[in-house]
Amino acid sequence: MNKQHIKNIARLFDLHAALTGCVLVFCMLLASRSADASTLTDVQRQLFPDQAKILEVNNTAVPLVESLNTTANLYGVAVLIGESGRPPASQQNLAMLTQYLNNLGWVTMQISPPTVGFEPDLADDTKSEAQSEDQANDSASQVDSSANDQATTASSSTPSSPQYQLHRISNAHFLLHEQELRERVSAVMQRAQNYSGFRLVIAQGTSAAWMIKMYAEEQIPSPDAFVAISAFWPQRNLNALIANYTANTSMPLLDIYSNHDNNWGLMSAMERKHSTNKNLKLDYRQRHLTHTFNTQSDSEFVSKEIYGWLHYLGW
């Protein structure tokens, strides 16, 4: 076998790997758009037409639940981003919170985050998938390079929830999820320009973690204030990064967590507090819920915490 023949074979393997990567990315995008379409249909069925809006993001219809303030004075727009994989209409805790925010003078816009990256990984991953992830590793090196160093400082306890023990977010999924979330937030903030006043962003769970990261890295403009509810990532090396990202955000940040959060969230909560103290982030406040954030009274309590904190900031 001559050298030219060997080179041709090598080129064929490289072409195959590149095509496989493109096919996988296309499949992820297709699955994500299919999930968005299904979510939009569900939201439109559960809400009145004047509440269920459509947000156009890169020619994709994303469901948006918009509610006006019920007061004479308008404070501004509060954008709410729920947990990944759940449509707005199914997140009753945020839905109840919007009612209290409307009564406090806020226009609320609730959007669904992307779902990509939260499908269970198969045990018998193919070789082509591994090659695709290797290619993604190069572009995602900024995520893992510091993650491995900071993960050693995290607690050695393993979260008890089985769904989080078995879950693993690939670098390709992580970056794609972040990109889609960034595009949705940019689109809803553009829509928020129809109203005057402050810009408040409230995010929950993994969405809160991604938003903290994007604000810390200045991928998108920071709002006037940000509220994180039970922020976490279901992967140890990523979860360990949230504390450092939190300390490096520029906007005032209210950090809310509960004893009933999963162990990933509880592990991150203490690290976030310590990191912000070390970095002298003066506009940071952490508040602890004694109950789960899924009842009417809990939503009322959270709304009062937000109101009191914003009043302290001088709003």
Side-chain angles (χ1 to χ4, degrees), residues 1 20 26 47 58 70 85 87 90 93 99 112 124 128 133 149 164 173 182 187 208 220 256 274 278 293 302 310 315:
M1 185 179 294
T20 301
F26 175 77
L47 299 175
N58 287 340
T70 59
S90 71
N93 49 1
Q99 299 174 13
S112 291
D124 56 344
S128 60
E133 289 191 12
D149 296 334
Y164 295 129
H173 281 157
R182 181 172 61 248
I220 52 178
I256 299 175
H274 295 155
K278 288 181 180 179
F293 177 48
V302 170
L310 296 178
W315 292 23

Side-chain angles (χ1 to χ4, degrees), residues 217-269:
E217 296 177 343
E218 298 182 349
Q219 296 186 32
I220 52 178
S222 297
D224 296 309
F226 178 72
V227 178
I229 302 176
S230 305
F232 78 98
W233 271 317
Q235 188 168 309
R236 190 185 179 208
N237 63 329
L238 297 176
N239 201 52
L241 295 176
I242 302 176
N244 184 59
Y245 286 136
T246 302
N248 285 281
T249 54
S250 59
M251 70 282 177
L253 197 155
L254 176 62
D255 185 355
I256 299 175
Y257 77 100
S258 166
N259 279 342
H260 297 274
D261 292 343
N262 61 61
N263 284 6
W264 290 117
L266 294 176
M267 289 164 58
S268 177

Side-chain angles (χ1 to χ4, degrees), residues 23-43:
V23 170
L24 287 174
V25 172
F26 175 77
C27 290
M28 287 188 289
L29 288 171
L30 188 62
S32 177
R33 293 198 174 189
S34 177
D36 289 334
S38 177
T39 299
L40 178 60
T41 302
D42 292 340
V43 171

Side-chain angles (χ1 to χ4, degrees), residues 166-184:
L166 301 177
H167 195 84
R168 178 175 59 86
I169 308 175
S170 69
N171 287 325
H173 281 157
F174 185 93
L175 295 177
L176 183 57
H177 188 110
E178 182 176 292
Q179 176 186 342
E180 291 189 5
L181 180 60
R182 181 172 61 248
E183 292 171 349
R184 296 185 184 197

Side-chain angles (χ1 to χ4, degrees), residues 44-118:
Q44 290 175 328
R45 287 175 177 173
Q46 296 179 50
L47 299 175
F48 291 109
D50 61 327
Q51 291 180 304
K53 308 290 186 179
I54 296 177
L55 188 68
E56 290 292 337
V57 182
N58 287 340
N59 298 320
T60 301
V62 176
L64 169 71
V65 181
E66 183 173 333
S67 302
L68 299 178
N69 58 305
T70 59
T71 59
N73 297 325
L74 173 64
Y75 268 103
V77 178
V79 176
L80 297 93
I81 311 167
E83 179 59 89
S84 297
R86 298 175 59 192
S90 71
Q91 304 201 40
Q92 296 302 323
N93 49 1
L94 291 182
M96 290 184 287
L97 180 60
T98 59
Q99 299 174 13
Y100 290 107
L101 293 174
N102 295 150
N103 294 335
L104 292 173
W106 292 92
V107 171
T108 56
M109 298 182 181
Q110 186 181 352
I111 61 172
S112 291
T115 58
V116 62
F118 285 86

